[in-house]
Amino acid sequence: MGDLDFWRHGDGLPFEFAWRSGVDAVMTAHVVVPQVDAEVATCSYRWLTEILRGELGFDGLIITDALMMAGITRRYAPDVAVVKALQAGADLLLMPVDAVGAIAAITQAVADGALSMKRLDASLERIAHARQKIRNAPCCALGNWILCPIAALPAPLRPLRSKPHPTRSRAPLRSSWRSPTACPCPSPCSNCRKLRC
């Protein structure tokens, strides 16, 4: 990536197509494009709010890549990184170096006025919207990890199962569990009859 125009007409096109097609979330990268902003993209208001949300109109979740990665920890102290990512427009913070310290830093930033509750409320609304969208989707439209992580395990680690789902060659979610507590699936999906968590 060179400058913003190059990014818009080159590297940015697949991303713009993805969220205009309905992608619900995007993960940030710990990269710096000095011609656009001196900040790491994960902590860049220019990238996350002005470009991604403003110019490109993305209104889904923005999730940081792991905040314990060197691309962040070499530039920012752990408590600074979490606040800067939220100020930039991130909704979910993945793997902060110190989760308890991250909560304390965010709380202090709100108390000091460096991070507004309005900003955090916007993230909470997007998170609630994403959760509701998952809850309302038929489970056959979602990936196995969202529905039931046990179903995505390799066969030797998976509980005993019944006959395969008629439309899938992969292991079905509808299983005869070895233990009633192995999976908290409450009821089968009314669309495809698979168990969903």
Side-chain angles (χ1 to χ4, degrees):
M1 287 190 278
D3 60 16
L4 191 53
D5 285 332
F6 178 79
W7 183 83
R8 281 188 186 111
H9 298 10
D11 295 333
L13 290 175
F15 296 100
E16 184 177 358
F17 176 78
W19 47 75
R20 291 199 191 283
S21 299
V23 167
D24 295 315
V26 65
M27 180 175 275
T28 65
H30 305 323
V31 298
V32 177
V33 183
Q35 298 88 337
V36 178
D37 193 353
E39 292 280 0
V40 172
T42 296
C43 298
S44 168
Y45 184 86
R46 175 85 176 111
W47 275 114
L48 302 189
T49 299
E50 292 178 0
I51 297 171
L52 186 58
R53 293 224 188 271
E55 294 179 27
L56 299 175
F58 180 68
D59 63 354
L61 291 174
I62 298 177
I63 305 167
T64 69
D65 203 344
L67 294 174
M68 59 170 219
M69 295 171 73
I72 288 289
T73 60
R74 287 184 185 152
R75 290 182 69 109
Y76 311 107
D79 58 332
V80 172
V82 295
V83 172
K84 285 184 81 60
L86 290 171
Q87 288 170 330
D91 298 306
L92 294 170
L93 306 175
L94 180 64
M95 298 175 66
V97 172
D98 172 16
V100 174
I103 293 167
I106 294 164
T107 303
Q108 189 62 51
V110 170
D112 294 345
L115 186 61
S116 72
M117 283 306 299
K118 181 180 177 183
R119 168 65 202 89
L120 296 178
D121 287 342
S123 287
L124 290 174
E125 285 180 31
R126 283 189 284 273
I127 292 165
H129 176 75
R131 290 180 68 174
Q132 190 61 42
K133 190 171 182 180
I134 290 171
R135 270 193 211 107
N136 293 338
C139 65
C140 51
L142 302 172
N144 278 345
W145 279 107
I146 292 173
L147 298 169
C148 182
I150 294 171
L153 290 173
L157 302 176
R158 199 178 309 125
L160 297 173
R161 55 189 161 83
S162 60
K163 64 183 181 178
H165 190 277
T167 60
R168 286 196 175 183
S169 58
R170 289 180 48 158
L173 290 176
R174 191 174 181 98
S175 301
S176 55
W177 303 100
R178 291 189 178 133
S179 159
T181 59
C183 178
C185 298
S187 62
C189 168
S190 60
N191 189 30
C192 69
R193 308 305 304 161
K194 291 186 294 183
L195 293 175
R196 68 181 289 166
C197 295

